[in-house]
Amino acid sequence: MARVLCVYDEGAVVDTPLIGAKGFSVMVESDGRRIMMDTGLRDRYLVHNMEYLDIDFSSLEAAVVSQRMAENSRALEGLLNQREGPIDVYAPEGLYSGKRGILSRSVGLSGDNREKAHLHDIGEWKEIIPKVWLSPQLESDDGYRESFLVIEGRHLAVVSGRGHSGPDLPLGAVREKFGRDAHTFVGAVLLEKRKKPIAEAYAADFEAYGCTDLHLNHCTGRDGMTNLRTHFGLEGVDEFYVGMELELRGSK
């Protein structure tokens, strides 16, 4: 069994101390092994949420940073501050090559944390932990690059930190790599501040790939969620805010 737990997002489970803030991060666990995908923007929010959710920082085997956006990558420093031992970090080439500056959206690492982070450029498809794959940096028509996680099981699941150009790019790459389509999509497609026809086009893409189990957050936006629900119904599009967990059962 695999599970995905949201630890950083604009929304959080109500009536809890969990903090909702701009950014994205999830913990993915498969066969008892854990990785982090993205980190969110603010160190203290990430640390607070992980501590409240009782996630042992030392239990993480790797961190994957899917793209260069600060809200996906900046709080790696906060995660490393809570660890004594090193951790493998898969990130876009050169993202953490410098020191983090004082600007709120600057990305980098301190000297101490640079020694803890065993940095790996994202290359070809790689199985990070059993049944959890990291895609290459997939490039949109406008040149934007990002990676996705794919979780194998009875159904394939895609985990997305932004979904800049919509679902067609990752779902097409999954079909090519695995020879079957993903049924579940977790995380974000960029629909915030985009007009309804874009949401309708994305809904058609999801349907064309048979991906109709959607758990969305981050830059999908409230209007984007509403527009997708117009197509898939309330049961087809769930919110996936901080503190929410998705279990993915079954074997291949």
Side-chain angles (χ1 to χ4, degrees):
M1 184 184 75
R3 69 182 181 120
V4 184
L5 173 63
C6 184
V7 299
Y8 203 119
D9 181 66
E10 281 87 336
V13 174
V14 297
D15 298 325
T16 72
L18 292 166
I19 297 172
K22 186 73 173 178
F24 175 84
S25 179
V26 295
M27 185 194 74
V28 177
E29 182 172 346
S30 177
D31 293 341
R33 298 172 65 178
R34 294 175 167 183
I35 65 172
M36 185 72 68
M37 179 183 182
D38 292 340
T39 66
L41 180 65
R42 306 287 186 186
D43 296 346
R44 62 189 179 94
Y45 297 162
L46 175 70
V47 171
H48 169 87
N49 287 343
M50 290 181 67
E51 288 180 340
Y52 181 80
L53 293 168
D54 198 26
I55 299 172
D56 182 354
F57 292 88
S58 65
S59 71
L60 299 170
E61 293 189 28
V64 169
V65 178
S66 66
Q67 56 214 280
R68 295 179 176 276
M69 293 291 291
E71 59 251 40
N72 295 79
S73 62
R74 190 175 192 268
L76 178 63
E77 180 94 340
L79 187 153
L80 294 172
N81 284 339
Q82 302 302 311
R83 292 178 57 94
E84 293 184 3
I87 186 172
D88 288 315
V89 178
Y90 298 86
E93 183 178 359
L95 177 61
Y96 295 105
S97 59
K99 293 183 178 181
R100 194 167 78 172
I102 61 173
L103 297 178
S104 64
R105 289 183 174 268
S106 66
V107 175
L109 296 175
S110 66
D112 289 343
N113 284 333
R114 189 170 301 282
E115 294 182 2
K116 294 180 188 177
H118 290 177
L119 294 169
H120 307 272
D121 295 338
I122 297 175
E124 300 302 313
W125 284 96
K126 182 176 179 60
E127 192 173 16
I128 304 295
I129 55 176
K131 301 178 184 177
V132 179
W133 291 79
L134 172 63
S135 81
Q137 289 272 277
L138 304 180
E139 186 169 342
S140 306
D141 290 340
D142 62 1
Y144 192 88
R145 294 167 64 85
E146 60 184 310
S147 292
F148 302 83
L149 290 183
V150 179
I151 303 172
E152 291 187 276
R154 184 175 294 121
H155 300 291
L156 295 177
V158 172
V159 186
S160 167
R162 184 173 175 83
H164 175 82
S165 63
D168 180 65
L169 185 66
L171 294 180
V174 168
R175 176 183 286 181
E176 181 179 355
K177 168 66 179 176
F178 295 92
R180 59 190 179 120
D181 289 332
H183 173 69
T184 299
F185 193 96
V186 185
V189 285
L190 180 57
L191 279 172
E192 199 171 36
K193 300 180 181 177
R194 291 186 171 181
K195 296 185 182 297
K196 187 174 182 179
I198 302 296
E200 292 173 347
Y202 287 2
D205 287 340
F206 277 123
E207 200 159 59
Y209 287 100
C211 189
T212 56
D213 179 35
L214 310 180
H215 305 263
L216 303 179
N217 59 15
H218 189 31
C219 55
T220 307
R222 187 168 298 277
D223 288 345
M225 298 275 282
T226 298
N227 290 334
L228 288 174
R229 282 173 172 156
T230 299
H231 189 92
F232 291 109
L234 288 175
E235 294 183 356
V237 183
D238 287 335
E239 297 166 344
F240 195 62
Y241 298 149
V242 178
M244 294 182 176
E245 180 177 327
L246 178 66
E247 291 188 352
L248 302 167
R249 297 183 180 277
S251 59
K252 293 189 290 183

